[in-house]
Amino acid sequence: MDKKRVFSGIKPSGDFTIGNYMGALVNWVASQDEKENIFCIVDLHSITVPQDPKEVKRRNLEFAKIYLAAGLDPKKSAFFIQSDRPEHSELTWILNCFTYFGEASRMTQFKDQYREKKKNVTVGLFDYPVLMAADILLYDTDEVPVGEDQKQHVELTRDIAERMNKKFDKLFTIPEPIIKKTGAKIMKLGEPTKKMAKSDVNPNNSIYLRDNAETIRKKFSRAVTDSDNKIKFDKAKKPGISNLLNIMSVATDTPIPQLEKKYASSNYGQFKSDVADSVIEMLAPIQAKLAEYDKNEDYVLKVLRDGAETVAPRAQAALKRVKKAVGLGI
Ligand code: TRP
């Protein structure tokens, strides 16, 4: 049986956190043999809000280093920088002309961002979901693993694809959103009811992949907990402790009930210090590999170039099919 083709994107809009690692990258590495994976570093999405050009460039390379250091094998999974494949932008334009202003206006992520900012919101930010649809549809994608917050965008992708399939006959594979029910959703250390985010302005809310042991200990020691001094998983009443249990569970590959038992008579100070140690230990081999890739950036650049080459035939074929159907070009 053919392997299912999986496409996922990660936006280089801030430094990579253990939330990105535990929530996405770990699963990608684990699925390398059973799926045909395409993982894209979506720099075009990142510039929908203001960015420092130097940082965009740095993070593109940094994310590729992190993928490699975490164990993604470029022979099994393709990864590349979105803007290195011009088909993404070109298909976006065509899809724009088959996307209704009304349906794009209903995207809750855009509405939230617009409500929050109001000023200087770009057309690019409004168009973000259509660019995402182009990403997905260019590669005849079967499955799109995303967080709950991106489900609506995958549904828009399906709507656009179905609409164009009706009009032009079998243009696109209809993708399935894969929403993880279990697995790690890591929360902010200082605000454990909100998801840990790359773009957080407060660095104490996140553990970054390059954080050293001292920083990691300090951040965990300041993590918000509660006052009942019991190490029990209860998301509603004890979001801080639950988050720390979750982190330790992934870092040590130990089920949460087992951790609850182990720490039944410990205080929060001891527990936090052990959580910090578990993360330091988890990150040590990754950080060692990152240091190697720092010395060998040419190799990382080559992996990215090769990745963009590997996926080219499929993207070019899809774009050609669409242009032909719509009547574009000569
Ligand atoms: N918008 C996604 C996010 O913020 C990132 C993304 C861009 C993506 N293109 C994609 C995810 C295509 C899946 C498929 O998480």
Side-chain angles (χ1 to χ4, degrees), residues 38-39 74 77-81 84-85 139 300-313:
I38 303 178
F39 300 126
S77 309
F79 47 99
F80 67 102
I81 308 292
D84 282 339
R85 287 256 51 91
Y139 300 99
V300 185
L301 290 169
K302 182 174 176 336
V303 167
L304 287 172
R305 264 185 231 115
D306 289 351
E309 284 292 307
T310 305
V311 300

Short mmCIF file of all heavy atoms in Angstrom, two decimals, residues 38-39 74 77-81 84-85 139 300-313:
data_model
loop_
_atom_site.label_atom_id
_atom_site.label_comp_id
_atom_site.label_asym_id
_atom_site.label_seq_id
_atom_site.Cartn_x
_atom_site.Cartn_y
_atom_site.Cartn_z
N ILE A 38 6.42 15.63 4.33
CA ILE A 38 7.01 16.88 3.83
C ILE A 38 6.84 17.93 4.93
O ILE A 38 5.71 18.21 5.36
CB ILE A 38 6.31 17.37 2.55
CG1 ILE A 38 6.37 16.29 1.46
CG2 ILE A 38 6.94 18.67 2.06
CD1 ILE A 38 5.66 16.67 0.18
N PHE A 39 7.95 18.43 5.43
CA PHE A 39 7.90 19.43 6.50
C PHE A 39 8.50 20.73 5.99
O PHE A 39 9.65 20.77 5.56
CB PHE A 39 8.67 18.94 7.73
CG PHE A 39 8.12 17.67 8.29
CD1 PHE A 39 8.94 16.57 8.48
CD2 PHE A 39 6.78 17.56 8.60
CE1 PHE A 39 8.43 15.39 8.99
CE2 PHE A 39 6.26 16.38 9.11
CZ PHE A 39 7.09 15.29 9.30
N PRO A 74 16.88 13.47 6.45
CA PRO A 74 16.50 14.07 5.16
C PRO A 74 16.35 13.05 4.03
O PRO A 74 15.79 13.38 2.99
CB PRO A 74 17.66 15.05 4.86
CG PRO A 74 18.73 14.76 5.84
CD PRO A 74 18.17 13.96 6.96
N SER A 77 12.45 12.12 5.14
CA SER A 77 11.48 13.21 5.17
C SER A 77 12.08 14.39 4.42
O SER A 77 13.25 14.71 4.61
CB SER A 77 11.22 13.65 6.62
OG SER A 77 10.91 12.55 7.43
N ALA A 78 11.25 15.03 3.60
CA ALA A 78 11.77 16.21 2.89
C ALA A 78 11.53 17.43 3.74
O ALA A 78 10.43 17.62 4.27
CB ALA A 78 11.06 16.36 1.55
N PHE A 79 12.53 18.24 3.95
CA PHE A 79 12.25 19.54 4.54
C PHE A 79 12.98 20.65 3.81
O PHE A 79 14.07 20.47 3.28
CB PHE A 79 12.44 19.59 6.05
CG PHE A 79 13.69 19.00 6.62
CD1 PHE A 79 14.74 19.82 6.96
CD2 PHE A 79 13.79 17.65 6.84
CE1 PHE A 79 15.90 19.29 7.52
CE2 PHE A 79 14.94 17.10 7.39
CZ PHE A 79 16.00 17.93 7.73
N PHE A 80 12.30 21.77 3.74
CA PHE A 80 12.78 22.86 2.88
C PHE A 80 12.14 24.17 3.34
O PHE A 80 11.20 24.18 4.13
CB PHE A 80 12.43 22.58 1.42
CG PHE A 80 10.95 22.60 1.12
CD1 PHE A 80 10.37 23.71 0.51
CD2 PHE A 80 10.14 21.54 1.48
CE1 PHE A 80 9.00 23.76 0.25
CE2 PHE A 80 8.76 21.57 1.21
CZ PHE A 80 8.21 22.68 0.60
N ILE A 81 12.69 25.26 2.79
CA ILE A 81 12.17 26.59 3.10
C ILE A 81 11.10 26.95 2.07
O ILE A 81 11.33 26.87 0.86
CB ILE A 81 13.31 27.65 3.04
CG1 ILE A 81 14.51 27.23 3.89
CG2 ILE A 81 12.80 29.03 3.42
CD1 ILE A 81 14.31 27.22 5.36
N ASP A 84 11.76 29.02 -0.99
CA ASP A 84 12.65 28.43 -2.00
C ASP A 84 11.87 27.72 -3.10
O ASP A 84 12.45 27.31 -4.11
CB ASP A 84 13.63 27.44 -1.35
CG ASP A 84 14.79 28.16 -0.65
OD1 ASP A 84 15.04 29.33 -1.00
OD2 ASP A 84 15.43 27.56 0.22
N ARG A 85 10.59 27.53 -2.92
CA ARG A 85 9.75 26.94 -3.97
C ARG A 85 8.73 27.98 -4.41
O ARG A 85 7.74 28.21 -3.73
CB ARG A 85 9.01 25.68 -3.46
CG ARG A 85 9.90 24.46 -3.29
CD ARG A 85 9.75 23.40 -4.39
NE ARG A 85 9.86 23.92 -5.73
CZ ARG A 85 10.99 24.00 -6.45
NH1 ARG A 85 12.11 23.56 -5.97
NH2 ARG A 85 10.97 24.49 -7.67
N TYR A 139 1.09 19.50 -2.97
CA TYR A 139 1.77 18.20 -2.82
C TYR A 139 0.80 17.03 -2.74
O TYR A 139 1.14 15.97 -2.25
CB TYR A 139 2.69 18.24 -1.58
CG TYR A 139 3.74 19.33 -1.74
CD1 TYR A 139 3.58 20.58 -1.14
CD2 TYR A 139 4.84 19.13 -2.56
CE1 TYR A 139 4.50 21.59 -1.33
CE2 TYR A 139 5.77 20.14 -2.76
CZ TYR A 139 5.60 21.37 -2.15
OH TYR A 139 6.51 22.36 -2.37
N VAL A 300 23.95 21.91 6.31
CA VAL A 300 22.54 22.21 6.58
C VAL A 300 21.92 22.92 5.36
O VAL A 300 20.79 22.60 4.95
CB VAL A 300 22.39 23.07 7.85
CG1 VAL A 300 20.93 23.28 8.19
CG2 VAL A 300 23.13 22.43 9.03
N LEU A 301 22.67 23.85 4.79
CA LEU A 301 22.17 24.55 3.60
C LEU A 301 21.95 23.59 2.44
O LEU A 301 20.98 23.70 1.68
CB LEU A 301 23.16 25.65 3.19
CG LEU A 301 23.23 26.84 4.15
CD1 LEU A 301 24.41 27.75 3.81
CD2 LEU A 301 21.93 27.64 4.13
N LYS A 302 22.83 22.61 2.34
CA LYS A 302 22.69 21.63 1.27
C LYS A 302 21.43 20.78 1.49
O LYS A 302 20.70 20.48 0.54
CB LYS A 302 23.94 20.74 1.20
CG LYS A 302 23.87 19.73 0.08
CD LYS A 302 25.16 18.95 -0.08
CE LYS A 302 25.13 17.85 -1.13
NZ LYS A 302 23.87 17.27 -1.51
N VAL A 303 21.18 20.39 2.74
CA VAL A 303 19.98 19.62 3.04
C VAL A 303 18.74 20.40 2.61
O VAL A 303 17.81 19.86 2.00
CB VAL A 303 19.91 19.28 4.55
CG1 VAL A 303 18.53 18.76 4.94
CG2 VAL A 303 20.98 18.24 4.91
N LEU A 304 18.74 21.70 2.89
CA LEU A 304 17.58 22.54 2.53
C LEU A 304 17.43 22.66 1.02
O LEU A 304 16.33 22.59 0.48
CB LEU A 304 17.71 23.92 3.18
CG LEU A 304 17.46 23.96 4.68
CD1 LEU A 304 17.80 25.33 5.25
CD2 LEU A 304 16.01 23.59 5.00
N ARG A 305 18.56 22.85 0.34
CA ARG A 305 18.51 22.95 -1.13
C ARG A 305 18.01 21.64 -1.72
O ARG A 305 17.16 21.63 -2.60
CB ARG A 305 19.90 23.28 -1.68
CG ARG A 305 20.06 24.77 -1.92
CD ARG A 305 21.40 25.09 -2.58
NE ARG A 305 22.03 26.13 -1.82
CZ ARG A 305 23.16 26.02 -1.14
NH1 ARG A 305 23.85 24.88 -1.15
NH2 ARG A 305 23.62 27.02 -0.45
N ASP A 306 18.55 20.54 -1.23
CA ASP A 306 18.12 19.22 -1.73
C ASP A 306 16.65 18.99 -1.45
O ASP A 306 15.93 18.41 -2.28
CB ASP A 306 18.94 18.09 -1.07
CG ASP A 306 20.38 18.08 -1.56
OD1 ASP A 306 20.70 18.82 -2.52
OD2 ASP A 306 21.20 17.33 -0.98
N GLY A 307 16.20 19.42 -0.27
CA GLY A 307 14.78 19.24 0.08
C GLY A 307 13.89 19.96 -0.91
O GLY A 307 12.90 19.41 -1.41
N ALA A 308 14.26 21.19 -1.24
CA ALA A 308 13.45 21.97 -2.19
C ALA A 308 13.47 21.32 -3.58
O ALA A 308 12.47 21.38 -4.31
CB ALA A 308 13.97 23.41 -2.25
N GLU A 309 14.58 20.68 -3.91
CA GLU A 309 14.68 19.97 -5.20
C GLU A 309 13.80 18.72 -5.21
O GLU A 309 13.13 18.42 -6.19
CB GLU A 309 16.13 19.53 -5.45
CG GLU A 309 17.04 20.66 -5.89
CD GLU A 309 16.68 21.17 -7.27
OE1 GLU A 309 16.59 20.35 -8.20
OE2 GLU A 309 16.45 22.39 -7.40
N THR A 310 13.86 17.98 -4.10
CA THR A 310 13.11 16.73 -4.00
C THR A 310 11.61 16.95 -4.20
O THR A 310 10.95 16.15 -4.84
CB THR A 310 13.34 16.09 -2.60
OG1 THR A 310 14.74 15.95 -2.41
CG2 THR A 310 12.67 14.74 -2.48
N VAL A 311 11.10 18.02 -3.63
CA VAL A 311 9.66 18.23 -3.70
C VAL A 311 9.24 18.97 -4.98
O VAL A 311 8.06 19.08 -5.28
CB VAL A 311 9.12 19.00 -2.46
CG1 VAL A 311 9.41 18.22 -1.18
CG2 VAL A 311 9.68 20.42 -2.36
N ALA A 312 10.23 19.45 -5.74
CA ALA A 312 9.92 20.27 -6.92
C ALA A 312 8.99 19.59 -7.94
O ALA A 312 8.01 20.20 -8.37
CB ALA A 312 11.21 20.73 -7.59
N PRO A 313 9.29 18.33 -8.34
CA PRO A 313 8.47 17.74 -9.41
C PRO A 313 6.97 17.73 -9.08
O PRO A 313 6.15 18.06 -9.94
CB PRO A 313 9.00 16.30 -9.52
CG PRO A 313 10.38 16.36 -8.98
CD PRO A 313 10.37 17.42 -7.92
#
